[in-house]
């Protein structure tokens, strides 16, 4: 077949790079068909861009394949590209050969009306063929590329951290277990399950973060980043939490919290700028159909200086706000989304980096400040979403780290390798984690993380 000789519709509509009046092959799926005055008009979409190409079949009786073609069918059209006399489209295809590749019958669920996002989640195998989910998938790919571009341009090395891990990097305990033991009759020893007999000879989990392994790499390569899937078994049924999501985690040797904040700021701005410039078509679609404010919000963030605010001041601001928060505010609380949004949306109206959090609410690896009760943690909060980045300067002092582990109930013997990094050539170092889906929610204006993940995994849902 001549499939590889096809012309992508993006090349026609976005790049304007296809000469007129020469035969081309177009392959795609039928969006709509209509006939008028003895001419058939078929809208074809091939997934390469937002736009459809209209195929015009003069004298439909010459094309027997037409009889079998319904919305959703895949087709092959050969013809000449011409300027379209119709308004609203620049080109159309005057078809000379037309073939059905794969039939779709009347039960094809995507008809020409607006389907709810909830319904489309039930048919995640077909939803990429809608305008919205085509755009989400394309922008996901483009922003993933931008992530690599940002770090590679700055000399960071991309490292792959394991998906199966024996440690709870965040110490939060929201882990999915990986086991081959027979759960109906696990081997027991002294009244507890004997994980010695499990596949890895110890307990194993799906990773919640690649950070600890990224630190190993940073202590050898300098500046590194990970970009991979992470898993959390928290039972948070919110529009911003997924059980499987992708995270980008840069880690920098010889860096402190201020360096971390600077890179995080540049990184977010870079991604937003990239979306506006390199995915202009999709962004126009999201601005028109999903959230009119989105492009403006991104421009605003790109042009804003991010506020840097110590946690203690953030709490004071919230306490003095007179607002009636659902979760009461006092020093020591883990800020809730309502607090984060109040700061970014009402007080500052731009992104805010809150730093120096109470030690007790943060992970064991964060560097302890001289006051002994706060750590060098930072969260980047953005209007509408709240936390989008979490990061910190890491504790590089062996004894302090060990004490911290013990006070948080972790057994230092399980983290010998992590402690060793502090024993042999330790350096100040820092990093952060950016949730890829939360970033895409922000860029697209899509309100639910389930509509950003091609196949979302959330409590009680792992279909497809
Ligand atoms: O703040 P978190 O838990 O930080 C870490 O995992 C650190 N190890 C990062 C580091 O310093 N290298 O998560 C980082 C980001 C959050 O800011 C959020 O954007 C995203 O990951 N995130 C989630 N996204 C979707 N669903 C969830 N359940 C998420 N939990 C965190």
């Amino acid at each position: 077949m001549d499939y590889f000789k096809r012309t992508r519709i993006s090349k026609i509509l976005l790049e304007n790079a296809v000469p007129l009046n020469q035969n081309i092959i177009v392959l795609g799926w039928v969006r709509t068909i209509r006939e008028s005055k003895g001419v058939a008009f078929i809208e074809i979409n091939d997934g390469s861009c937002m736009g459809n190409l209209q195929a015009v079949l003069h004298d439909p009786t010459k094309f027997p394949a037409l009889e079998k073609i319904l919305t959703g069918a895949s087709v092959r059209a050969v013809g000449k590209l011409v300027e379209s006399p119709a308004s609203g489209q620049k080109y159309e295809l005057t078809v000379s050969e037309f073939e059905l590749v794969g039939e779709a019958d009347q039960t094809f669920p995507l008809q020409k009306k607006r389907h709810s996002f909830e319904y489309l989640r039930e048919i995640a195998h077909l939803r990429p063929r809608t305008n919205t989910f085509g755009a989400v998938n394309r922008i996901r790919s483009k922003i993933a590329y931008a992530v690599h571009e940002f770090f590679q341009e700055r000399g960071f090395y991309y490292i792959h951290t394991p998906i199966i891990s024996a440690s709870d990097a965040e110490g939060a305990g929201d882990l999915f277990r990986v086991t081959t033991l027979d759960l109906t009759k696990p081997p027991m020893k002294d009244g507890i399950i004997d994980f010695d007999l499990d596949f890895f000879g110890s307990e194993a989990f799906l990773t919640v973060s690649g950070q600890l392994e990224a630190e190993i790499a940073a202590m050898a390569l300098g500046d590194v980043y990970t970009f991979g899937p992470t898993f959390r078994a928290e039972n948070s049924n919110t529009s911003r939490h997924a059980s499987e999501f992708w995270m980008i985690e840069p880690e920098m040797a010889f860096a402190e919290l201020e360096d971390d904040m600077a890179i995080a700021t540049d990184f977010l701005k870079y991604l937003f700028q990239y979306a506006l410039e390199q995915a202009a078509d999709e962004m126009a679609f999201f601005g028109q159909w999903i959230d009119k404010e989105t492009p403006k919000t991104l421009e605003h963030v790109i042009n804003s200086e991010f506020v840097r605010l110590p946690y203690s001041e953030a709490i004071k601001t919230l306490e003095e706000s007179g607002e009636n928060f659902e979760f009461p505010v006092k020093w020591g609380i883990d800020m809730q989304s309502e607090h984060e949004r109040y700061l970014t949306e009402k007080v500052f109206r731009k992104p805010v980096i809150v730093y120096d959090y109470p030690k007790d609410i943060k992970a064991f690896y964060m560097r302890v400040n001289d006051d002994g009760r706060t750590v060098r943690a930072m969260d980047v909060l953005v209007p509408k979403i709240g936390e989008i980045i979490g990061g910190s300067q890491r504790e590089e002092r062996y004894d302090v780290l060990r004490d911290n582990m013990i006070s948080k109930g972790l057994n230092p013997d399980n983290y010998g390798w992590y402690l060793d990094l502090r024993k042999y050539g330790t350096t100040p170092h820092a990093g952060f984690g950016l949730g890829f889906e939360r970033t895409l929610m922000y860029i697209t204006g899509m309100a639910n993380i389930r509509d950003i993940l091609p196949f979302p995994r959330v409590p009680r849902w792992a279909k497809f």
Side-chain angles (χ1 to χ4, degrees):
M1 278 310 258
D2 49 11
Y3 290 157
F4 287 113
K5 294 188 188 145
R6 75 161 177 271
T7 299
R8 286 213 167 83
I9 293 175
S10 57
K11 198 166 174 189
I12 301 170
L13 301 185
L14 292 186
E15 295 170 37
N16 278 306
V18 178
L20 297 179
N21 298 312
Q22 289 181 20
N23 267 338
I24 57 169
I25 302 165
V26 172
L27 301 163
W29 293 269
V30 171
R31 284 286 176 89
T32 60
I33 310 156
R34 69 189 167 85
E35 259 194 68
S36 161
K37 299 182 189 143
V39 182
F41 299 94
I42 302 180
E43 295 276 341
I44 300 176
N45 186 284
D46 70 356
S48 62
C49 63
M50 294 294 323
N52 304 328
L53 183 67
Q54 175 157 276
V56 183
L57 284 69
H58 296 282
D59 196 359
T61 50
K62 283 202 309 214
F63 302 97
L66 259 182
E67 278 170 33
K68 284 195 159 172
I69 283 167
L70 295 174
T71 299
S74 51
V75 294
R76 172 179 178 275
V78 183
K80 291 190 165 69
L81 193 67
V82 296
E83 278 181 14
S84 176
S87 67
Q89 58 187 28
K90 197 161 174 200
Y91 304 111
E92 61 185 34
L93 191 72
T94 305
V95 174
S96 49
E97 264 178 62
F98 193 73
E99 254 173 58
L100 175 65
V101 179
E103 212 173 320
D105 67 15
Q106 261 120 351
T107 60
F108 182 63
L110 300 172
Q111 298 300 332
K112 207 188 169 179
K113 63 169 185 164
R114 242 181 143 176
H115 297 287
S116 75
F117 289 161
E118 287 78 11
Y119 169 67
L120 291 173
R121 279 176 219 148
E122 308 268 341
I123 50 167
H125 57 307
L126 296 171
R127 71 177 180 168
R129 288 202 221 163
T130 62
N131 285 333
T132 305
F133 290 92
V136 168
N137 281 301
R138 281 190 298 273
I139 214 157
R140 198 179 162 102
S141 166
K142 290 180 185 182
I143 299 301
Y145 187 76
V147 166
H148 289 294
E149 215 175 70
F150 177 86
F151 287 115
Q152 298 282 338
E153 277 172 3
R154 283 160 184 75
F156 284 62
Y157 287 106
Y158 176 36
I159 53 155
H160 296 121
T161 51
I163 286 172
I164 298 175
S165 162
S167 66
D168 176 0
E170 291 303 301
D174 301 320
L175 301 164
F176 287 103
R177 184 180 291 285
V178 177
T179 180
T180 51
L181 292 181
D182 180 350
L183 297 181
T184 60
K185 42 176 173 19
M188 306 296 286
K189 193 172 161 191
D190 304 330
I192 52 172
I193 296 178
D194 185 3
F195 286 104
D196 258 2
L197 300 177
D198 203 350
F199 191 87
F200 296 106
S202 67
E203 289 186 89
F205 309 94
L206 293 180
T207 184
V208 292
S209 156
Q211 179 196 319
L212 304 193
E213 292 88 355
E215 285 185 52
I216 297 179
M219 287 299 136
L221 305 177
D223 295 335
V224 301
Y225 69 104
T226 71
F227 184 6
T230 48
F231 307 85
R232 299 206 180 168
E234 27 177 2
N235 202 359
S236 314
N237 231 324
T238 79
S239 58
R240 301 176 309 122
H241 286 88
S243 315
E244 175 179 321
F245 62 98
W246 284 61
M247 214 199 305
I248 299 130
E249 294 184 278
E251 190 67 38
M252 298 158 285
F254 305 104
E256 299 184 340
L257 193 67
E258 289 68 23
D259 308 301
D260 210 26
M261 292 182 189
I263 286 276
T265 306
D266 288 354
F267 184 39
L268 274 186
K269 290 186 177 189
Y270 185 92
L271 297 184
F272 295 169
Q273 186 84 44
Y274 192 95
L276 292 171
E277 284 171 6
Q278 306 295 327
D281 244 28
E282 282 80 14
M283 290 307 292
F285 173 86
F286 290 121
Q288 185 178 357
W289 297 102
I290 305 298
D291 183 349
K292 293 201 170 24
E293 298 296 313
T294 300
K296 249 194 309 185
T297 312
L298 296 183
E299 291 278 2
H300 175 65
V301 171
I302 293 165
N303 296 316
S304 300
E305 196 162 324
F306 291 17
V307 176
R308 295 182 181 186
L309 185 71
Y311 169 90
S312 299
E313 275 181 42
I315 292 297
K316 208 160 127 227
T317 307
L318 293 169
E319 278 174 335
E320 289 169 0
S321 69
E323 250 342 83
N324 203 359
F325 293 115
E326 187 188 340
F327 295 92
V329 178
K330 70 168 201 281
W331 200 94
I333 61 157
D334 204 358
M335 277 196 266
Q336 301 292 321
S337 174
E338 57 171 343
H339 307 133
E340 298 174 342
R341 294 188 58 173
Y342 182 81
L343 291 172
T344 56
E345 289 168 25
K346 299 268 168 57
V347 183
F348 297 104
R349 294 172 195 277
K350 54 180 168 176
V352 180
I353 307 181
V354 178
Y355 65 98
D356 285 349
Y357 279 82
K359 186 174 149 194
D360 289 346
I361 57 169
K362 289 291 187 184
F364 67 91
Y365 52 69
M366 299 186 179
R367 191 179 201 281
V368 182
N369 279 313
D370 292 344
D371 63 12
R373 64 175 200 152
T374 60
V375 287
R376 301 247 78 192
M378 63 137 190
D379 282 355
V380 182
L381 316 178
V382 288
K384 292 208 282 197
I385 293 217
E387 183 198 323
I388 194 163
I389 285 182
S392 62
Q393 183 173 335
R394 322 305 187 187
E395 184 56 77
E396 84 284 13
R397 296 163 297 184
Y398 185 97
D399 294 335
V400 183
L401 178 61
R402 197 168 183 283
D403 289 349
N404 235 350
M405 285 176 171
I406 294 167
S407 72
K408 297 229 180 245
L410 301 173
N411 181 355
D413 294 345
N414 296 341
Y415 294 86
W417 53 274
Y418 190 68
L419 283 160
D420 269 359
L421 297 175
R422 278 74 183 165
K423 203 154 108 188
Y424 307 116
T426 193
T427 80
H429 61 293
F432 63 83
L434 172 72
F436 190 49
E437 285 74 21
R438 293 220 185 140
T439 310
L440 290 169
M441 286 173 76
Y442 206 67
I443 288 175
T444 59
M446 296 288 283
N448 198 313
I449 199 163
R450 292 165 178 77
D451 299 324
I452 290 292
L453 283 151
F455 304 103
R457 271 83 184 92
V458 293
R460 306 199 60 75
W461 186 268
K463 266 200 195 170
F464 303 99

